[in-house]
Amino acid sequence: MNNQEINHSRRRFLTLATGAAGTVAVVATAVPFLASWSPSERAKAAGAPVEADLSKIEPGQLLTVAWQGKPVWVLNRTEQQLADMATLTDVLADPESAVEQQPDYCKNGTRSIKPEWWVAIGICTHLGCSPTYRPDLAPTDLGSDWKGGFFCPCHGSKFDLAGRVYKSMPAPTNLVIPPYKFMSDTLVLVGVDN
């Protein structure tokens, strides 16, 4: 073997090794850089949209997800619950949702995009307590006009299954409806307008 053949082989090996090392260095630099583009957990909590999977929520069940550090309720209302809600307009403070507590696309009798699916921020509009879901019908402790809904144990505010506040309650307005849209029949995205 002569020196030219040895040097040529050695050069080829060094060129390939240097190229491989450079590729590894580029990838090692690019991965953290690209990862920094995705929102942090702090940014997600501050307002990034949140997905809710509807596929496992049975009729009458309530799912809670967190968005902007607040509880957001997703309720799968039954046909009976929807029918009962329509009978409550006389006992509600704002049955037509005149006060701006919801996006325009939810300014209807069910305060939702799809009647059976209701999405709301689970914080009482009185002092920020979290009401409890009370789907039970006509319990004596909540009055004869009760058709199921949400009860705030802090000061006694009552809301129907569309988050509309009953008359003469401490809560001044209906529960807040966040912006949301359906990505599919089984997935809702909270924090993005429809």
Side-chain angles (χ1 to χ4, degrees):
M1 260 193 194
N2 64 27
N3 282 341
Q4 283 184 329
E5 288 178 19
I6 294 173
N7 288 341
H8 185 62
S9 297
R10 192 175 283 168
R11 261 190 226 134
R12 189 176 316 165
F13 171 76
L14 289 174
T15 302
L16 291 173
T18 303
T23 302
V24 168
V26 167
V27 169
T29 303
V31 167
F33 176 71
L34 294 174
S36 72
W37 287 0
S38 63
S40 66
E41 291 304 314
R42 177 185 250 171
K44 287 178 187 175
V50 176
E51 292 180 351
D53 180 9
L54 308 177
S55 65
K56 295 181 178 135
I57 308 173
E58 297 293 325
Q61 284 187 328
L62 178 75
L63 170 73
T64 303
V65 296
W67 175 66
Q68 292 186 343
K70 301 172 191 165
V72 173
W73 295 330
V74 181
L75 175 63
N76 185 356
R77 297 182 285 208
T78 66
E79 288 183 27
Q80 184 62 52
Q81 289 173 329
L82 290 168
D84 288 343
M85 281 176 16
T87 67
L88 294 174
T89 55
D90 293 341
V91 297
L92 300 173
D94 185 12
E96 303 301 320
S97 301
V99 177
E100 296 297 322
Q101 292 291 93
Q102 63 280 319
D104 286 340
Y105 49 85
C106 290
K107 201 169 187 178
N108 52 48
T110 61
R111 298 184 76 220
S112 61
I113 297 171
K114 296 179 180 182
E116 68 276 15
W117 292 106
W118 180 67
V119 178
I121 295 176
I123 297 177
C124 181
T125 55
H126 179 225
L127 293 176
C129 302
S130 187
T132 57
Y133 177 44
R134 299 278 304 269
D136 43 344
L137 297 177
T140 56
D141 62 330
L142 294 177
S144 61
D145 55 6
W146 183 255
K147 303 284 186 186
F150 299 89
F151 176 71
C152 186
C154 298
H155 299 97
S157 292
K158 298 188 305 185
F159 302 89
D160 76 346
L161 291 166
R164 300 174 297 182
V165 66
Y166 279 68
K167 289 179 181 175
S168 303
M169 293 290 131
T173 57
N174 296 338
L175 295 176
V176 176
I177 306 293
Y180 72 97
K181 70 178 183 177
F182 285 90
M183 304 302 288
S184 70
D185 287 341
T186 60
L187 187 66
V188 68
L189 187 62
V190 178
V192 176
D193 272 315
N194 186 29

